[in-house]
Structures are given as C-alpha cells and as structure tokens.
C-alpha cells in the first residue's frame, strides 16, 4: 500500500556510519609450526604485510544460495569481503549441512534484519529412517536404532499432529543459551542439557515423495524458531522407527525466495567482472526496502523528509493523511528514508537510513516494486 502526500526530491546530507563494526568471521587457528607460515615472521606478521583494501558503504541484500559445508558466519564474511563492505549480517542461521537461502544484509540493510527473521521460512528436507542421532542430523552418532520402516500412509496420518501451533524441544546441539553458554558447547562437552519445550508454528507440512523405504522427502513452511531437525526427530519417535535429517535446503526466508538466490560461484564471477570494469556489483544487490515488503509505504514531502531525517516527528494533516496507525516505511521521491510509527496524528521516525554509497541497480529496484 502506497499513500502519497508529495513527490518532490530530497537528498539527505552525507553521513558516515558511527556504528561499531562487527567482525563475524572466526578464522581457523593454525599451529605455530604450520608449514604455510614457513619463511614468514609468524602468521600475524604475514597478514600485516598484506595490502589492506579500503572498505566502503554498500547498502542492500544479497540472498546467497549457501553451499553445503559453509557456516552462516563464514558466508557473511565471504560476502562482506567480496563487496568490501563496512557492515554485514545475516537474517537467520543456516546449518553447515544445509544449503539454500541465506539473506545477507549489507550496510543500512542491517537495520531491517528483524523484519526478515520474523517472516515465514520454507524448507525441503529428507529424513533417513532407522536411526536417531544426538545432533538430529548426519554429523552425529546414532543413539537409537530400529529396523522398522514407515509407509507413506502411516506418515501422512501423523502430519496433522505437527501442523499448527505445537510445542517443540530444541535439539541438544542448538545455539540456545543455557546459563550463559550455548547448548551445542555443553553437548560437545558431554553434558545432557534440559531444554524446555517452546511454542512454534508450522503452517504447512507435506510428504513430497518416498524414494525408498528408508527415506522420505518433506516440505515445511514454518515460523520463527522452528527446528526442522527436531521435527524429523519427533516424527521418527512417534512412528517408532526413529529418524534424522540427511538433507536440508531452505527455499524461502521472509520475502526472499529461490528466484532471489545467487550461488557463491556466480557471485564471485560477478565480482571479478566488476573489478575489470565489465559489470557492477549493484546487479547482485536487492534494495534495502525488499525486507519491508509487508509494511505499508508512505511518501512524504521534501520539507517533512528533512524533519524526519533530523529525527523530528511530523504532523499528519490534510485529506491525504493516513488514518491508520503502526509501522510504515517512509519514502521521498521513491527513495527509502526511514522506518516510522504513526500514532496520535504524528509520524515518528524510529530508524533513519543513509543510503549514500553502492546500492541496488535500477533494474533490481524495479524488480522489487
């Protein structure tokens, strides 16, 4: 929904980001006598001798088709390096053994991450029957086994019990904090953690195919906080045959679907072409406001935009003034300006955007309309 009060242009003044930059990438530690450090004055000194690339302001979303074997933190670090971006973060962890959509926010897009994380997610996953593992996926060790194999009809009968608002106990190997420590760290130390059931919502759960008696393929659409690994574990327990995830792919995160995903190899190739002047990294970016797809937009005048940019509230008046309340994203001349709240006849800015730097190309902006 777009409510227009004016269409005059407004360019906010240049502003450098004052937010502390977070380095999300944890490098693997090497022993002091690693042969890769031979002939150098230590690994740290070698890195200091390398030329430093200047970081820049980059604003937008990259929806990486994350490959299997890469952690979400590593994926953020790679994309941040490719764009030489000052700030980056992701909107929802994806396990190393999983592939698919990992939305990565660059620059001012990091301010919209909660709107993506709160959105629905869709997964396609394969369950291997006959073993329950301590990690609930192929990385763990078997803790329960059974020779029983379920029929498609038996599985179908159970699915309604896992649809809607349900209680779910997270996996032992999860990022949930227990007395200040991550559950997976405690589990790796051999501790059994008493994790409490949590309410999660599963909007849709479908048996897609059963390629053989030991494997079943599902699709699930679920809300924030749902663990697909726990879903496979609990279905296996009810069936009496046990089970664990052996393949997992995320196909939807909030407004981002498979059509928005870009494989890492393709992104690296685009970066190489851009470095040689044959393309632009802007072609890989989606606009910051793509994350705000479900939020009404409100266009304002140049004068009102200037007030909002200074953090001042704006009175809403006139016949075109919206009579609703709640969160809106504010634009001026089609350019994202702020996230704001409407209440008591006022527009109150909550987050102001400074989109000076590299942003999505005009073609990608048109795709998001």
């Amino acid at each position: 929904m777009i409510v227009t009060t004016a269409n005059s242009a407004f360019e906010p003044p240049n502003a450098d980001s004052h937010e502390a930059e977070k380095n999300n990438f944890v490098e693997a530690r090497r022993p002091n006598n690693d042969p890769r450090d031979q002939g150098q004055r230590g690994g740290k000194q070698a890195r200091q001798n390398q030329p430093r690339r200047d970081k820049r302001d980059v604003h937008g979303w990259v929806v990486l088709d994350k490959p299997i074997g890469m952690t979400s933190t590593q994926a953020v670090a790679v994309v941040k390096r490719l764009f030489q971006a000052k700030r980056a973060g992701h909107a929802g962890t994806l396990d190393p053994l999983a592939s698919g959509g990992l939305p990565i926010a660059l620059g001012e897009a990091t301010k919209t991450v909660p709107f993506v994380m709160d959105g629905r997610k869709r997964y396609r996953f394969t369950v291997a029957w006959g073993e329950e593992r301590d990690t609930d996926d192929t990385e763990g060790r078997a803790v329960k086994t059974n020779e029983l194999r379920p029929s498609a009809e038996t599985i179908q009968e159970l699915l309604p019990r896992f649809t809607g608002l349900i209680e779910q106990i997270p996996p032992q190997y999860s990022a949930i904090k227990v007395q200040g420590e991550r559950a997976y760290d405690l589990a790796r130390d051999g501790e059994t953690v008493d994790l409490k059931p949590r309410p999660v919502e599963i909007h849709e759960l479908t048996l897609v195919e059963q390629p053989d008696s030991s494997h079943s393929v599902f699709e699930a659409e679920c809300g924030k906080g749902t663990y697909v690994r726990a879903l496979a574990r609990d279905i296996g327990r009810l069936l009496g045959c046990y089970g664990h995830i052996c393949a997992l792919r995320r196909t939807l995160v909030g407004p981002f679907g498979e059509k928005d995903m870009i494989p890492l190899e393709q992104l690296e190739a685009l970066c190489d072409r851009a470095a040689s002047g044959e393309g632009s990294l802007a072609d890989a970016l989606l606009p910051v406001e793509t994350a705000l797809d479900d939020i009404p937009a409100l266009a304002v005048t140049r004068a009102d935009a200037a007030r909002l940019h200074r953090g001042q509230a704006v009175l809403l008046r006139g016949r075109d003034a919206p009579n609703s309340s709640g969160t809106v994203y504010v634009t001026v001349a089609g350019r994202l300006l702020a996230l704001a709240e409407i209440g008591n006849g006022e527009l109150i800015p909550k987050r102001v955007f400074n989109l000076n730097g590299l942003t999505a190309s005009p073609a990608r902006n048109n795709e998001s309309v």
Side-chain angles (χ1 to χ4, degrees), residues 67-312:
I68 294 172
M70 176 179 280
T71 68
S72 297
T73 300
Q74 289 170 337
V76 170
V78 169
V79 172
K80 185 180 180 184
R81 174 179 56 79
L82 288 174
F83 280 84
Q84 299 172 244
K86 290 181 179 179
R87 287 182 294 150
H90 66 72
T93 301
L94 197 55
D95 288 343
L97 290 180
S99 67
L102 180 67
I104 297 176
L106 299 174
E108 293 291 86
T110 56
K111 296 177 180 179
T112 66
V113 163
F115 295 94
V116 178
M117 294 189 69
D118 288 342
R120 292 189 182 189
K121 300 172 180 64
R122 179 172 282 274
Y123 299 90
R124 185 181 180 95
F125 61 99
T126 303
V127 179
W129 305 116
E131 283 187 348
E132 181 175 315
R133 301 196 176 189
D134 55 1
T135 59
D136 300 317
D137 59 24
T138 55
E139 281 196 326
R141 61 181 180 85
V143 291
K144 296 178 183 177
T145 61
N146 197 299
E147 295 298 322
L148 179 67
R149 297 294 182 268
S151 66
E153 293 75 16
T154 305
I155 296 172
Q156 293 278 19
E157 291 175 2
L158 274 184
L159 296 188
R161 298 178 62 173
F162 292 93
T163 306
L165 194 63
I166 66 170
E167 293 280 315
Q168 185 184 75
I169 298 176
Q172 287 284 304
Y173 286 81
S174 62
I176 292 174
K177 284 193 174 182
V178 179
Q179 295 180 346
E181 295 191 62
R182 299 290 185 185
Y184 54 66
D185 288 330
L186 297 173
R188 286 168 186 155
D189 291 339
E191 295 186 37
T192 300
V193 182
D194 183 22
L195 297 174
K196 303 300 181 184
R198 305 190 310 170
V200 298
E201 189 167 11
I202 300 175
H203 306 282
E204 184 181 338
L205 179 60
T206 308
L207 176 64
V208 176
E209 60 177 308
Q210 198 152 0
D212 56 59
S213 61
S214 296
H215 298 86
S216 299
V217 182
F218 298 85
E219 285 190 355
E221 186 170 312
C222 48
K224 182 179 179 180
T226 303
Y227 283 92
V228 181
R229 285 181 290 142
L231 189 60
R233 175 201 67 201
D234 294 342
I235 293 174
R237 287 178 180 178
L238 271 183
L239 289 169
C241 63
Y242 306 118
H244 64 275
I245 290 278
C246 64
L248 176 63
R249 178 171 177 79
R250 188 157 65 186
T251 59
L252 177 75
V253 190
F256 302 115
E258 288 195 284
K259 66 179 178 60
D260 301 309
M261 299 179 195
I262 181 169
L264 181 57
E265 297 81 4
Q266 186 177 333
L267 183 61
E268 289 174 331
L270 177 61
C271 290
D272 289 340
R273 292 196 302 272
S276 61
E278 297 178 4
S280 172
L281 284 176
D283 294 335
L285 289 172
L286 287 168
V288 173
E289 58 266 32
T290 311
L292 309 175
D293 189 51
D294 292 332
I295 300 175
L298 176 66
V300 299
T301 66
R302 178 178 178 178
D304 286 345
R307 288 183 60 85
L308 291 169
H309 193 263
R310 294 193 297 267
Q312 299 172 332

Side-chain angles (χ1 to χ4, degrees), residues 315 325 342-346:
L315 288 175
S325 61
I342 296 178
N344 299 321
E346 283 190 322

